[in-house]
């Protein structure tokens, strides 16, 4: 059940991201729902590894700091997900605290057994 809830949150944010970026879903290249979700999961995994190695510190108010994500994206420009990350980043600036945490909790739950 949790994955279904997580998937719903991710899909809702994906649709809002398309609207925010003024991307027509029928004309989107390399940013369909599967790619968008995989890009978030990959970015989350990079960030989680950064926390585990002591490179990043988990903020008490946010699940993830966007500045840290931008650093990771820029360091991984050769990633297949780089362009998708940039689309997500444009959307992230529009999000409030609650929406940000809801999305990252949904991504986090994808990694739970």
């Amino acid at each position: 059940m949790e994955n279904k809830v997580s998937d719903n949150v991710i899909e809702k944010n994906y649709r809002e991201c398309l609207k925010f970026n003024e991307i027509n879903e029928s004309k989107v290249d390399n940013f369909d729902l599967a790619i968008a979700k995989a890009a978030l999961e990959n970015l989350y995994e990079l960030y989680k590894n950064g926390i585990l190695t002591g490179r990043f510190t988990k903020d008490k108010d946010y699940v993830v700091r966007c500045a840290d994500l931008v650093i990771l994206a820029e360091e991984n420009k050769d990633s297949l997900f780089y362009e998708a990350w940039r689309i997500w980043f444009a959307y992230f600036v529009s999000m409030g605290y609650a929406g940000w945490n809801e999305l990252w909790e949904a991504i986090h739950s994808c990694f739970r057994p």
Side-chain angles (χ1 to χ4, degrees):
M1 179 70 177
E2 174 127 11
N3 278 344
K4 184 67 171 162
V5 172
S6 298
D7 286 344
N8 289 343
V9 169
I10 294 166
E11 185 170 351
K12 176 189 81 157
N13 279 276
Y14 169 72
R15 303 269 177 242
E16 290 175 8
C17 181
L18 291 176
K19 286 180 197 170
F20 181 83
N21 283 285
E22 298 179 352
I23 296 172
N24 183 333
E25 191 172 358
S26 65
K27 295 182 180 182
V28 81
D29 290 329
N30 298 323
F31 196 70
D32 63 16
L33 180 58
I35 290 171
K37 182 178 178 186
L40 286 178
E41 290 174 351
N42 183 259
L43 195 57
Y44 182 87
E45 216 21 61
L46 288 172
Y47 184 75
K48 187 172 90 177
N49 288 336
I51 289 174
L52 292 174
T53 61
R55 181 168 182 207
F56 301 118
T57 304
K58 195 171 186 180
D59 186 289
K60 67 182 178 89
D61 295 322
Y62 290 92
V63 174
V64 177
R65 290 183 183 222
C66 195
D68 294 341
L69 298 179
V70 171
I71 289 168
L72 288 170
E74 291 305 308
E75 290 176 352
N76 292 280
K77 283 185 177 181
D78 59 340
S79 171
L80 296 173
F81 298 117
Y82 182 73
E83 289 304 317
W85 292 337
R86 292 176 48 88
I87 293 169
W88 277 117
F89 290 160
Y91 169 65
F92 290 165
V93 300
S94 73
M95 298 179 85
Y97 176 81
W100 176 258
N101 281 334
E102 178 186 46
L103 175 59
W104 283 98
E105 177 61 27
I107 296 301
H108 173 73
S109 69
C110 291
F111 291 95
R112 291 184 189 145

